[in-house]
Amino acid sequence: GGKIQASIRKPMMKKFKNAIVEGGVYTMINFGVIRSAGNYRAAKHEYKLLFSGKTRLFPAQTELIPLNGLSLVNTEDVFKTNGDSNYLIDLVGLLTAVSGEKELITEGRKTRMIQLELTDEKGKLQCTVFGDYVDAVKEHLSAGISPLPVLVVQFFKVRLYKGCVVIQNVNNTSRILWNAKITKVNDFRNRLASNGIDPTIPMGDLLVGSPIIPLADDFLKLYPRKTPEQLQLTEEDGTFIVLATIIGIIKDEQWWYGACKCHKAVTPNGGLYYCSNCCTHVVEVTPRFKVKVEVCHWDESAVFVLFDSDVAQLLGKSCKELLAEAKDIKSVVHPPEFVKLIGKAMLFKVEKGPEYAFSYDDSFKVKKVCDDSQIITKFKDMWGITTPKKLKFDPPFPTTVEGDNLQCACETSAEDFEVLVDTRVASDPAFEASSSSGAQAQDPIYELTPNGEGDGASPVLKKMRRKVVKVEKE
């Protein structure tokens, strides 16, 4: 046997609403068969059944069809999706941690949420529940369950949240079974014991109010470190942590995109917008950040792509707010607020893989950023990274020149950065020789600099010639 999704369109709901009982077995006739599509597919079947006005249902009896219809996956299978899956999943796991109740504000709407940590023999996975599901979880926890409960979560959506693969409930669709008395749960408990996982820890010891994965652990313990150059040269795919400083915003690149509710880009189509991920037309589109930046660490550089939540966090404004202030939303000129990004040294959690090669060209997708100074200091201490304290021009040359390139040759603090972008240009024989010999110039890097003098000066993009500097450490 197998599973296939069946759909009832809204005009047919009244006819079939009371004719179908969950857990019932039926024989169907006169139904349609269409190709399965969409972002919330309940079964991995190429097709799905479609009820029509001529469809007839006849109650039947059989013990061959399992009551719950579970198609269980494990945490390893979920992580392999990289948070990009059109299918709802079923998973069984031991509840090993619970966060306190939190409030999420999206587009001005408040939603309650609780984060759960589910553990199986392959690893741990964050599971987020919203809305009325929060009350159900709190009710079970208030009963003082001991030992740790085994949860079966069914029809949950896989998502990428703050760079981490998580699962979350779908309203009016998902279900959570607590310590279900079914064979698959008994088999799961036996597998836990054989893998040395103790399910007898009292539940009360695990009620915590902090995030499931601490930010420090996310950037210091879970992923390998790479420099910008190592990231570009390595043939290894995966997630890496890179320490670098943002030195410029790439010019002539659109800094936002219109997104469907699934966060994927949409394209205009017949007065509406089409989402290829959901295979449907949408009316409401949400603007989201997508900003290409140039980063450097010492003499190594790379191009990273920052996305909505990270850019909004760094700027203190949403994409929607910046667009409301823009004179021309189609313009590729970056908002003045982007000057806040320049000179920021931070940790980047970067994704590299063949699936991104076509979409991102020679740039890299950033899953998450960290600008916490204490975490950055710990990262440097772990890897023995030093930071230049003084930038010395040798010899100083106080001439302002408009040129083609600007390059940052080191990691800097905010104070160092002001020295680095001084409009002095160093005289260097090697540089002059390469320029006069007709050597090909590198791609331009553009920097936001203040225009005018005094308060209220608006930042503009300015091209500057490469500076040859000597770096000394105090």
Side-chain angles (χ1 to χ4, degrees):
K3 287 171 60 175
I4 188 171
Q5 181 174 335
S7 297
I8 304 174
R9 290 176 175 163
K10 187 172 290 187
M12 297 288 104
M13 285 293 294
K14 186 176 180 180
K15 176 179 180 180
F16 293 104
K17 183 176 181 180
N18 298 322
I20 301 176
V21 177
E22 187 171 351
V25 179
Y26 301 90
T27 299
M28 289 177 59
I29 61 172
N30 300 333
F31 53 85
V33 178
I34 61 175
R35 189 173 295 277
S36 182
N39 203 36
Y40 294 82
R41 306 180 203 177
K44 288 190 174 182
H45 198 289
E46 185 180 359
Y47 298 95
K48 66 179 180 180
L49 309 184
L50 185 65
F51 282 60
S52 70
K54 297 181 179 181
T55 301
R56 297 291 181 268
L57 298 174
F58 303 96
Q61 292 185 348
T62 180
E63 295 181 357
L64 298 177
I65 301 176
L67 180 62
N68 294 305
L70 295 173
S71 299
L72 295 175
V73 299
N74 57 43
T75 55
E76 186 178 52
D77 297 326
V78 174
F79 285 124
K80 286 180 179 179
T81 67
N82 290 318
D84 187 13
S85 175
N86 294 323
Y87 300 99
L88 304 180
I89 61 101
D90 307 337
L91 181 139
V92 57
L94 188 69
L95 180 59
T96 50
V98 184
S99 76
E101 182 178 334
K102 303 176 183 179
E103 193 174 70
L104 180 68
I105 301 178
T106 306
E107 298 294 326
R109 294 175 295 181
K110 297 181 179 180
T111 305
R112 295 177 303 143
M113 61 178 284
I114 284 181
Q115 294 169 299
L116 312 177
E117 182 184 75
L118 300 180
T119 301
D120 64 12
E121 64 273 23
K122 296 293 185 179
K124 298 178 181 292
L125 177 67
Q126 180 178 312
C127 171
T128 305
V129 295
F130 299 92
D132 295 338
Y133 289 76
V134 172
D135 294 328
V137 169
K138 292 171 66 176
E139 182 180 350
H140 280 280
L141 295 178
S142 65
I145 300 173
S146 183
L148 297 181
V150 172
L151 271 57
V152 176
V153 293
Q154 188 173 22
F155 303 129
F156 269 61
K157 177 66 179 172
V158 181
R159 291 249 187 228
L160 197 62
Y161 177 69
K162 292 185 177 180
C164 296
V165 177
V166 302
I167 59 174
Q168 66 182 53
N169 67 281
V170 179
N171 285 333
N172 303 317
T173 301
S174 302
R175 66 172 71 176
I176 304 176
L177 306 178
W178 295 71
N179 290 324
K181 298 185 182 300
I182 57 177
T183 302
K184 290 186 177 181
V185 169
N186 294 333
D187 292 342
F188 173 75
R189 289 186 183 276
N190 293 333
R191 293 199 304 273
L192 288 182
S194 63
N195 283 273
I197 300 176
D198 183 9
T200 62
I201 305 171
M203 186 65 198
D205 295 345
L206 293 167
L207 293 176
V208 295
S210 58
I212 299 298
I213 303 177
L215 186 64
D217 290 351
D218 201 15
F219 283 87
L220 300 178
K221 298 180 179 180
L222 300 182
Y223 306 100
R225 174 233 179 186
K226 296 287 183 186
T227 67
E229 184 177 40
Q230 290 171 342
L231 184 67
Q232 296 178 80
L233 296 179
T234 183
E235 295 182 359
E236 180 183 0
D237 294 331
T239 302
F240 306 98
I241 305 299
V242 180
L243 173 64
T245 299
I246 297 178
I247 62 167
I249 315 295
I250 303 300
K251 188 183 178 184
D252 298 330
E253 291 278 354
Q254 186 61 265
W255 54 273
W256 69 279
Y257 68 97
C260 173
K261 62 182 180 180
C262 69
H263 296 180
K264 302 295 184 182
V266 297
T267 54
N269 187 290
L272 297 174
Y273 295 93
Y274 183 74
C275 175
S276 59
N277 187 58
C278 298
C279 299
T280 186
H281 286 85
V282 295
V283 177
E284 294 185 6
V285 174
T286 303
R288 297 178 67 83
F289 285 116
K290 183 181 179 182
V291 183
K292 273 190 175 183
V293 298
E294 180 86 7
V295 304
C296 81
H297 177 69
W298 292 97
D299 59 347
E300 301 177 15
S301 63
V303 177
F304 287 170
V305 184
L306 303 179
F307 286 91
D308 195 68
S309 59
D310 290 325
V311 179
Q313 173 192 326
L314 295 172
L315 296 180
K317 281 190 175 183
S318 69
C319 185
K320 187 176 182 179
E321 290 175 311
L322 288 190
L323 279 177
E325 300 170 0
K327 295 181 180 179
D328 181 7
I329 63 173
K330 295 182 180 181
S331 173
V332 295
V333 176
H334 304 118
E337 285 82 356
F338 278 21
V339 72
K340 296 179 182 179
L341 300 177
I342 307 301
K344 274 188 171 292
M346 65 186 77
L347 296 171
F348 300 86
K349 189 197 312 188
V350 181
E351 187 83 53
K352 181 176 183 179
E355 65 270 29
Y356 302 115
F358 178 77
S359 301
Y360 294 90
D361 299 324
D362 294 327
S363 58
F364 297 92
K365 176 182 178 181
V366 175
K367 300 175 65 177
K368 191 175 182 181
V369 301
C370 172
D371 59 352
D372 186 291
S373 59
Q374 293 183 346
I375 295 177
I376 293 174
T377 298
K378 290 180 180 179
F379 184 88
K380 291 180 179 179
D381 293 341
M382 282 176 56
W383 296 98
I385 299 173
T386 58
T387 303
K389 299 299 183 182
K390 181 189 297 182
L391 294 175
K392 180 181 179 182
F393 290 89
D394 185 21
F397 199 81
T399 304
T400 301
V401 181
E402 291 292 337
D404 295 326
N405 298 307
L406 169 66
Q407 177 174 341
C408 175
C410 64
E411 175 198 346
T412 64
S413 66
E415 293 180 355
D416 295 330
F417 185 77
E418 295 301 323
V419 178
L420 184 64
V421 298
D422 195 316
T423 53
R424 296 176 293 174
V425 179
S427 174
D428 181 78
F431 178 78
E432 296 297 336
S434 63
S435 300
S436 61
S437 63
Q440 185 175 359
Q442 295 187 12
D443 292 337
I445 302 169
Y446 296 85
E447 193 60 66
L448 283 167
T449 58
N451 180 29
E453 299 179 354
D455 295 335
S458 59
V460 297
L461 283 167
K462 179 179 180 181
K463 284 197 284 187
M464 301 178 68
R465 178 169 295 173
R466 182 190 309 277
K467 298 169 181 60
V468 181
V469 301
K470 181 178 292 184
V471 179
E472 295 181 356
K473 180 183 176 184
E474 287 182 339

